[in-house]
Amino acid sequence: MPIDILQTGKLHASCEATLAERYTVHKLHEATDKDAFLAEIASRIRAHAGSGVQADLIGKLPKLEIIAGFGVGTDNIDIGAAKAANVRVTNTPDVLNDAVAELTIGMMIALARRIPQGDRFVRDGKWPGAGLGLFSELTGKTVGILGLGRIGKEIATRAQAMKMRVVYHGRKRQDNVPYSYYDTLLAMARDCDWLVLIAPGGQGTDRIVSRAVLEALGPKGMLVNVGRGTLVDEPAMVDLLLNGGLGGAALDVFENEPQVPAALFALDTVVLSPHQGSATHQTRDAMGATLVANLDAHFAGKPLISPVV
Ligand code: A2R
């Protein structure tokens, strides 16, 4: 019996290719009349491939058994509605840890040493006139990690290789980690040169990096966000960057991405990236393979590879 699955957005090419080999895939995002398309197939759909699934869609799919998300964050899947409808949810953790950690350190060095600005400076022909200037380095600095989870630990290891001191904050102290724990984010921000955000989005962390936390990080402090834009009070961050209350920011995620506050474009103290944390061929292939492996396990009656619920 063919198994009908629904896609509502484009997925990584190798993932789509494997899905097409094993399942009957219906692509809602490619339909011209989406309502008619969905009405026609809804009663046959047993799985959703990809993230971005809200309660209204779950409600329209009476035979839905599983939502196989693409990515580790599940803040754009209505977990409560899935649970209520007895629908399993999976994500693609671990396989992206290295890629996200690499980008994090890359963005930190880029910000500390003004690498994008230096590139622009040379291209603009300004070098013969004067040097770019002197900046800071990571060596010897303290980095506080908000969210010492799977990715956070990979960032911590690499930060140590940069000769940084690592501390962390989460809801609880972890056994068997060699880093000092802070039970409040505010106290950690006060003691840090760098603050790296790699916690999940969602209600529990909404704007957890408040104006007070940013002020505690201070005029020399550097903020790095590779988690979710919703973690930060973005208007306060922009305001503090503009008036010198915050030293700098390296941002891969934004509250309303792909919209980025235009006020940031003029600042040399900011490095901007279009949500590229996991965006490498090998990592996206691995994420796609994990998504498919979860679906395969589910329909073979085997334990899920990476269940969320
Ligand atoms: O709070 P803890 O001790 O469970 O630590 C988790 C931390 N975390 C929080 N920290 C402070 N306040 C909260 N309300 C809060 N909620 C969670 O975030 C844990 O150390 C970390 C998340 O680690 P993992 O679950 O292993 O996630 P992973 O794979 O490292 O990915 C993190 C996030 C994703 O959710 C996406 O938003 C992004 O990175 O790609």
Side-chain angles (χ1 to χ4, degrees), residues 72-73 97 146-152 169-172 174 198-201 204-205 208 226-228:
V72 61
N97 296 352
L146 169 66
L148 191 72
R150 290 167 293 226
I151 303 171
H169 168 70
R171 287 163 300 182
K172 54 191 181 299
Q174 300 185 38
I198 186 61
T205 57
I208 190 173
V226 284
R228 283 289 180 267

PDB file of all heavy atoms in Angstrom, residues 72-73 97 146-152 169-172 174 198-201 204-205 208 226-228, ligand 1:
ATOM      1  N   VAL A  72      16.451  21.019  14.139  1.00  0.00           N
ATOM      2  CA  VAL A  72      16.345  20.588  15.542  1.00  0.00           C
ATOM      3  C   VAL A  72      15.267  21.368  16.288  1.00  0.00           C
ATOM      4  O   VAL A  72      14.574  20.837  17.157  1.00  0.00           O
ATOM      5  CB  VAL A  72      17.722  20.646  16.263  1.00  0.00           C
ATOM      6  CG1 VAL A  72      18.281  22.056  16.294  1.00  0.00           C
ATOM      7  CG2 VAL A  72      17.622  20.082  17.669  1.00  0.00           C
ATOM      8  N   GLY A  73      15.076  22.628  15.914  1.00  0.00           N
ATOM      9  CA  GLY A  73      14.072  23.445  16.602  1.00  0.00           C
ATOM     10  C   GLY A  73      12.668  23.013  16.210  1.00  0.00           C
ATOM     11  O   GLY A  73      12.406  22.724  15.048  1.00  0.00           O
ATOM     12  N   ASN A  97      25.168  19.609  14.808  1.00  0.00           N
ATOM     13  CA  ASN A  97      25.931  20.259  15.889  1.00  0.00           C
ATOM     14  C   ASN A  97      27.233  20.900  15.404  1.00  0.00           C
ATOM     15  O   ASN A  97      27.552  22.043  15.735  1.00  0.00           O
ATOM     16  CB  ASN A  97      26.292  19.248  16.986  1.00  0.00           C
ATOM     17  CG  ASN A  97      25.082  18.672  17.687  1.00  0.00           C
ATOM     18  OD1 ASN A  97      23.961  19.118  17.472  1.00  0.00           O
ATOM     19  ND2 ASN A  97      25.283  17.658  18.521  1.00  0.00           N
ATOM     20  N   LEU A 146      24.309  30.496  26.607  1.00  0.00           N
ATOM     21  CA  LEU A 146      22.919  30.265  27.016  1.00  0.00           C
ATOM     22  C   LEU A 146      22.426  29.035  26.260  1.00  0.00           C
ATOM     23  O   LEU A 146      22.183  29.091  25.055  1.00  0.00           O
ATOM     24  CB  LEU A 146      22.036  31.472  26.661  1.00  0.00           C
ATOM     25  CG  LEU A 146      20.519  31.212  26.822  1.00  0.00           C
ATOM     26  CD1 LEU A 146      20.153  30.984  28.282  1.00  0.00           C
ATOM     27  CD2 LEU A 146      19.715  32.357  26.237  1.00  0.00           C
ATOM     28  N   GLY A 147      22.334  27.910  26.970  1.00  0.00           N
ATOM     29  CA  GLY A 147      21.886  26.664  26.341  1.00  0.00           C
ATOM     30  C   GLY A 147      23.052  25.735  26.045  1.00  0.00           C
ATOM     31  O   GLY A 147      23.449  25.575  24.901  1.00  0.00           O
ATOM     32  N   LEU A 148      23.609  25.151  27.117  1.00  0.00           N
ATOM     33  CA  LEU A 148      24.740  24.221  26.927  1.00  0.00           C
ATOM     34  C   LEU A 148      24.193  22.825  26.623  1.00  0.00           C
ATOM     35  O   LEU A 148      24.342  21.886  27.383  1.00  0.00           O
ATOM     36  CB  LEU A 148      25.620  24.202  28.177  1.00  0.00           C
ATOM     37  CG  LEU A 148      26.961  23.479  28.028  1.00  0.00           C
ATOM     38  CD1 LEU A 148      27.928  24.286  27.169  1.00  0.00           C
ATOM     39  CD2 LEU A 148      27.583  23.197  29.390  1.00  0.00           C
ATOM     40  N   GLY A 149      23.518  22.735  25.469  1.00  0.00           N
ATOM     41  CA  GLY A 149      22.960  21.442  25.042  1.00  0.00           C
ATOM     42  C   GLY A 149      23.880  20.782  24.039  1.00  0.00           C
ATOM     43  O   GLY A 149      25.096  20.941  24.093  1.00  0.00           O
ATOM     44  N   ARG A 150      23.258  20.075  23.092  1.00  0.00           N
ATOM     45  CA  ARG A 150      24.061  19.335  22.097  1.00  0.00           C
ATOM     46  C   ARG A 150      24.949  20.291  21.301  1.00  0.00           C
ATOM     47  O   ARG A 150      26.152  20.066  21.153  1.00  0.00           O
ATOM     48  CB  ARG A 150      23.116  18.575  21.148  1.00  0.00           C
ATOM     49  CG  ARG A 150      22.405  17.418  21.813  1.00  0.00           C
ATOM     50  CD  ARG A 150      21.275  16.894  20.955  1.00  0.00           C
ATOM     51  NE  ARG A 150      20.191  17.862  20.822  1.00  0.00           N
ATOM     52  CZ  ARG A 150      18.905  17.578  20.957  1.00  0.00           C
ATOM     53  NH1 ARG A 150      18.526  16.342  21.186  1.00  0.00           N
ATOM     54  NH2 ARG A 150      17.986  18.505  20.822  1.00  0.00           N
ATOM     55  N   ILE A 151      24.348  21.374  20.778  1.00  0.00           N
ATOM     56  CA  ILE A 151      25.144  22.317  19.980  1.00  0.00           C
ATOM     57  C   ILE A 151      26.029  23.163  20.896  1.00  0.00           C
ATOM     58  O   ILE A 151      27.201  23.397  20.608  1.00  0.00           O
ATOM     59  CB  ILE A 151      24.235  23.235  19.135  1.00  0.00           C
ATOM     60  CG1 ILE A 151      23.323  22.407  18.228  1.00  0.00           C
ATOM     61  CG2 ILE A 151      25.069  24.198  18.297  1.00  0.00           C
ATOM     62  CD1 ILE A 151      22.240  23.219  17.500  1.00  0.00           C
ATOM     63  N   GLY A 152      25.445  23.609  22.012  1.00  0.00           N
ATOM     64  CA  GLY A 152      26.189  24.457  22.950  1.00  0.00           C
ATOM     65  C   GLY A 152      27.502  23.814  23.389  1.00  0.00           C
ATOM     66  O   GLY A 152      28.528  24.498  23.515  1.00  0.00           O
ATOM     67  N   HIS A 169      24.686  29.120  31.221  1.00  0.00           N
ATOM     68  CA  HIS A 169      23.411  29.217  31.951  1.00  0.00           C
ATOM     69  C   HIS A 169      22.374  28.352  31.265  1.00  0.00           C
ATOM     70  O   HIS A 169      22.313  28.267  30.038  1.00  0.00           O
ATOM     71  CB  HIS A 169      22.905  30.660  31.995  1.00  0.00           C
ATOM     72  CG  HIS A 169      21.490  30.767  32.480  1.00  0.00           C
ATOM     73  ND1 HIS A 169      21.146  30.520  33.791  1.00  0.00           N
ATOM     74  CD2 HIS A 169      20.328  31.042  31.820  1.00  0.00           C
ATOM     75  CE1 HIS A 169      19.821  30.646  33.913  1.00  0.00           C
ATOM     76  NE2 HIS A 169      19.312  30.958  32.731  1.00  0.00           N
ATOM     77  N   GLY A 170      21.585  27.669  32.060  1.00  0.00           N
ATOM     78  CA  GLY A 170      20.434  26.911  31.608  1.00  0.00           C
ATOM     79  C   GLY A 170      19.509  26.829  32.808  1.00  0.00           C
ATOM     80  O   GLY A 170      19.793  27.435  33.852  1.00  0.00           O
ATOM     81  N   ARG A 171      18.430  26.079  32.681  1.00  0.00           N
ATOM     82  CA  ARG A 171      17.512  26.006  33.820  1.00  0.00           C
ATOM     83  C   ARG A 171      18.098  25.201  34.963  1.00  0.00           C
ATOM     84  O   ARG A 171      17.687  25.328  36.105  1.00  0.00           O
ATOM     85  CB  ARG A 171      16.177  25.410  33.378  1.00  0.00           C
ATOM     86  CG  ARG A 171      15.354  26.378  32.529  1.00  0.00           C
ATOM     87  CD  ARG A 171      14.280  25.679  31.791  1.00  0.00           C
ATOM     88  NE  ARG A 171      14.829  24.667  30.906  1.00  0.00           N
ATOM     89  CZ  ARG A 171      14.106  23.905  30.085  1.00  0.00           C
ATOM     90  NH1 ARG A 171      12.802  24.035  30.046  1.00  0.00           N
ATOM     91  NH2 ARG A 171      14.701  23.014  29.316  1.00  0.00           N
ATOM     92  N   LYS A 172      19.069  24.328  34.624  1.00  0.00           N
ATOM     93  CA  LYS A 172      19.695  23.556  35.709  1.00  0.00           C
ATOM     94  C   LYS A 172      21.197  23.364  35.485  1.00  0.00           C
ATOM     95  O   LYS A 172      21.667  23.377  34.344  1.00  0.00           O
ATOM     96  CB  LYS A 172      18.993  22.203  35.861  1.00  0.00           C
ATOM     97  CG  LYS A 172      18.932  21.404  34.589  1.00  0.00           C
ATOM     98  CD  LYS A 172      18.006  20.214  34.715  1.00  0.00           C
ATOM     99  CE  LYS A 172      17.959  19.406  33.438  1.00  0.00           C
ATOM    100  NZ  LYS A 172      17.476  20.124  32.245  1.00  0.00           N
ATOM    101  N   GLN A 174      24.493  21.255  35.143  1.00  0.00           N
ATOM    102  CA  GLN A 174      24.724  19.928  34.563  1.00  0.00           C
ATOM    103  C   GLN A 174      25.895  19.247  35.256  1.00  0.00           C
ATOM    104  O   GLN A 174      26.899  19.883  35.554  1.00  0.00           O
ATOM    105  CB  GLN A 174      25.029  20.044  33.068  1.00  0.00           C
ATOM    106  CG  GLN A 174      23.890  20.688  32.288  1.00  0.00           C
ATOM    107  CD  GLN A 174      24.158  20.689  30.790  1.00  0.00           C
ATOM    108  OE1 GLN A 174      24.698  19.742  30.243  1.00  0.00           O
ATOM    109  NE2 GLN A 174      23.764  21.763  30.122  1.00  0.00           N
ATOM    110  N   ILE A 198      22.210  29.749  22.212  1.00  0.00           N
ATOM    111  CA  ILE A 198      21.932  28.535  21.451  1.00  0.00           C
ATOM    112  C   ILE A 198      20.913  27.670  22.207  1.00  0.00           C
ATOM    113  O   ILE A 198      21.054  26.454  22.344  1.00  0.00           O
ATOM    114  CB  ILE A 198      23.243  27.790  21.071  1.00  0.00           C
ATOM    115  CG1 ILE A 198      22.994  26.607  20.148  1.00  0.00           C
ATOM    116  CG2 ILE A 198      24.102  27.468  22.279  1.00  0.00           C
ATOM    117  CD1 ILE A 198      22.379  26.943  18.818  1.00  0.00           C
ATOM    118  N   ALA A 199      19.883  28.377  22.692  1.00  0.00           N
ATOM    119  CA  ALA A 199      18.743  27.721  23.351  1.00  0.00           C
ATOM    120  C   ALA A 199      17.582  27.670  22.354  1.00  0.00           C
ATOM    121  O   ALA A 199      17.592  28.392  21.355  1.00  0.00           O
ATOM    122  CB  ALA A 199      18.349  28.511  24.599  1.00  0.00           C
ATOM    123  N   PRO A 200      16.591  26.831  22.608  1.00  0.00           N
ATOM    124  CA  PRO A 200      15.437  26.781  21.692  1.00  0.00           C
ATOM    125  C   PRO A 200      14.556  28.022  21.785  1.00  0.00           C
ATOM    126  O   PRO A 200      14.548  28.696  22.824  1.00  0.00           O
ATOM    127  CB  PRO A 200      14.647  25.560  22.171  1.00  0.00           C
ATOM    128  CG  PRO A 200      15.311  25.054  23.390  1.00  0.00           C
ATOM    129  CD  PRO A 200      16.485  25.893  23.714  1.00  0.00           C
ATOM    130  N   GLY A 201      13.795  28.259  20.708  1.00  0.00           N
ATOM    131  CA  GLY A 201      12.773  29.295  20.761  1.00  0.00           C
ATOM    132  C   GLY A 201      11.527  28.755  21.437  1.00  0.00           C
ATOM    133  O   GLY A 201      11.524  27.650  21.962  1.00  0.00           O
ATOM    134  N   GLY A 204       8.909  29.526  26.524  1.00  0.00           N
ATOM    135  CA  GLY A 204       9.774  29.531  27.713  1.00  0.00           C
ATOM    136  C   GLY A 204      10.996  30.417  27.578  1.00  0.00           C
ATOM    137  O   GLY A 204      11.625  30.780  28.582  1.00  0.00           O
ATOM    138  N   THR A 205      11.356  30.761  26.351  1.00  0.00           N
ATOM    139  CA  THR A 205      12.588  31.544  26.153  1.00  0.00           C
ATOM    140  C   THR A 205      12.344  32.866  25.431  1.00  0.00           C
ATOM    141  O   THR A 205      13.289  33.548  25.054  1.00  0.00           O
ATOM    142  CB  THR A 205      13.614  30.734  25.329  1.00  0.00           C
ATOM    143  OG1 THR A 205      13.007  30.373  24.071  1.00  0.00           O
ATOM    144  CG2 THR A 205      14.084  29.493  26.062  1.00  0.00           C
ATOM    145  N   ILE A 208      14.143  36.188  26.420  1.00  0.00           N
ATOM    146  CA  ILE A 208      14.864  35.889  27.669  1.00  0.00           C
ATOM    147  C   ILE A 208      16.097  36.791  27.782  1.00  0.00           C
ATOM    148  O   ILE A 208      16.525  37.152  28.884  1.00  0.00           O
ATOM    149  CB  ILE A 208      15.211  34.377  27.708  1.00  0.00           C
ATOM    150  CG1 ILE A 208      15.740  33.929  29.049  1.00  0.00           C
ATOM    151  CG2 ILE A 208      16.187  33.983  26.636  1.00  0.00           C
ATOM    152  CD1 ILE A 208      15.915  32.413  29.143  1.00  0.00           C
ATOM    153  N   VAL A 226      22.818  32.359  17.528  1.00  0.00           N
ATOM    154  CA  VAL A 226      22.725  31.287  16.524  1.00  0.00           C
ATOM    155  C   VAL A 226      21.578  30.346  16.894  1.00  0.00           C
ATOM    156  O   VAL A 226      21.470  29.243  16.354  1.00  0.00           O
ATOM    157  CB  VAL A 226      24.057  30.506  16.404  1.00  0.00           C
ATOM    158  CG1 VAL A 226      25.093  31.312  15.640  1.00  0.00           C
ATOM    159  CG2 VAL A 226      24.592  30.089  17.772  1.00  0.00           C
ATOM    160  N   GLY A 227      20.743  30.784  17.865  1.00  0.00           N
ATOM    161  CA  GLY A 227      19.625  29.940  18.325  1.00  0.00           C
ATOM    162  C   GLY A 227      18.338  30.323  17.616  1.00  0.00           C
ATOM    163  O   GLY A 227      17.993  29.759  16.571  1.00  0.00           O
ATOM    164  N   ARG A 228      17.646  31.304  18.162  1.00  0.00           N
ATOM    165  CA  ARG A 228      16.413  31.815  17.566  1.00  0.00           C
ATOM    166  C   ARG A 228      16.331  33.311  17.810  1.00  0.00           C
ATOM    167  O   ARG A 228      16.676  33.782  18.904  1.00  0.00           O
ATOM    168  CB  ARG A 228      15.180  31.143  18.208  1.00  0.00           C
ATOM    169  CG  ARG A 228      14.899  29.742  17.732  1.00  0.00           C
ATOM    170  CD  ARG A 228      14.386  29.702  16.293  1.00  0.00           C
ATOM    171  NE  ARG A 228      14.112  28.356  15.826  1.00  0.00           N
ATOM    172  CZ  ARG A 228      14.963  27.572  15.156  1.00  0.00           C
ATOM    173  NH1 ARG A 228      16.177  27.995  14.882  1.00  0.00           N
ATOM    174  NH2 ARG A 228      14.612  26.369  14.759  1.00  0.00           N
TER     175      ARG A 228
HETATM  176  O1  A2R B   1      17.513  24.592  30.583  1.00  0.00           O
HETATM  177  P1  A2R B   1      18.279  23.311  30.438  1.00  0.00           P
HETATM  178  O2  A2R B   1      19.210  23.049  31.574  1.00  0.00           O
HETATM  179  O3  A2R B   1      17.393  22.165  30.035  1.00  0.00           O
HETATM  180  O4  A2R B   1      19.251  23.596  29.164  1.00  0.00           O
HETATM  181  C1  A2R B   1      18.744  23.677  27.834  1.00  0.00           C
HETATM  182  C2  A2R B   1      18.669  25.129  27.369  1.00  0.00           C
HETATM  183  N1  A2R B   1      17.333  25.715  27.653  1.00  0.00           N
HETATM  184  C3  A2R B   1      17.149  26.800  28.424  1.00  0.00           C
HETATM  185  N2  A2R B   1      17.999  27.589  29.071  1.00  0.00           N
HETATM  186  C4  A2R B   1      17.473  28.599  29.788  1.00  0.00           C
HETATM  187  N3  A2R B   1      16.168  28.862  29.880  1.00  0.00           N
HETATM  188  C5  A2R B   1      15.262  28.093  29.229  1.00  0.00           C
HETATM  189  N4  A2R B   1      13.945  28.363  29.334  1.00  0.00           N
HETATM  190  C6  A2R B   1      15.745  26.998  28.459  1.00  0.00           C
HETATM  191  N5  A2R B   1      15.157  26.040  27.709  1.00  0.00           N
HETATM  192  C7  A2R B   1      16.144  25.266  27.224  1.00  0.00           C
HETATM  193  O5  A2R B   1      18.893  25.066  25.946  1.00  0.00           O
HETATM  194  C8  A2R B   1      19.772  23.071  26.893  1.00  0.00           C
HETATM  195  O6  A2R B   1      21.079  23.152  27.418  1.00  0.00           O
HETATM  196  C9  A2R B   1      19.708  23.944  25.656  1.00  0.00           C
HETATM  197  C10 A2R B   1      19.098  23.235  24.457  1.00  0.00           C
HETATM  198  O7  A2R B   1      19.888  22.126  24.160  1.00  0.00           O
HETATM  199  P2  A2R B   1      19.338  20.937  23.245  1.00  0.00           P
HETATM  200  O8  A2R B   1      17.959  20.592  23.655  1.00  0.00           O
HETATM  201  O9  A2R B   1      20.378  19.862  23.247  1.00  0.00           O
HETATM  202  O10 A2R B   1      19.212  21.598  21.829  1.00  0.00           O
HETATM  203  P3  A2R B   1      20.270  21.695  20.637  1.00  0.00           P
HETATM  204  O11 A2R B   1      20.202  20.494  19.800  1.00  0.00           O
HETATM  205  O12 A2R B   1      21.598  22.109  21.180  1.00  0.00           O
HETATM  206  O13 A2R B   1      19.643  22.907  19.811  1.00  0.00           O
HETATM  207  C11 A2R B   1      19.414  24.173  20.425  1.00  0.00           C
HETATM  208  C12 A2R B   1      18.644  25.120  19.524  1.00  0.00           C
HETATM  209  C13 A2R B   1      17.456  24.570  18.771  1.00  0.00           C
HETATM  210  O14 A2R B   1      16.303  24.429  19.549  1.00  0.00           O
HETATM  211  C14 A2R B   1      17.251  25.586  17.670  1.00  0.00           C
HETATM  212  O15 A2R B   1      16.485  26.665  18.143  1.00  0.00           O
HETATM  213  C15 A2R B   1      18.661  26.066  17.405  1.00  0.00           C
HETATM  214  O16 A2R B   1      19.461  25.569  18.483  1.00  0.00           O
HETATM  215  O17 A2R B   1      19.091  25.526  16.198  1.00  0.00           O
END
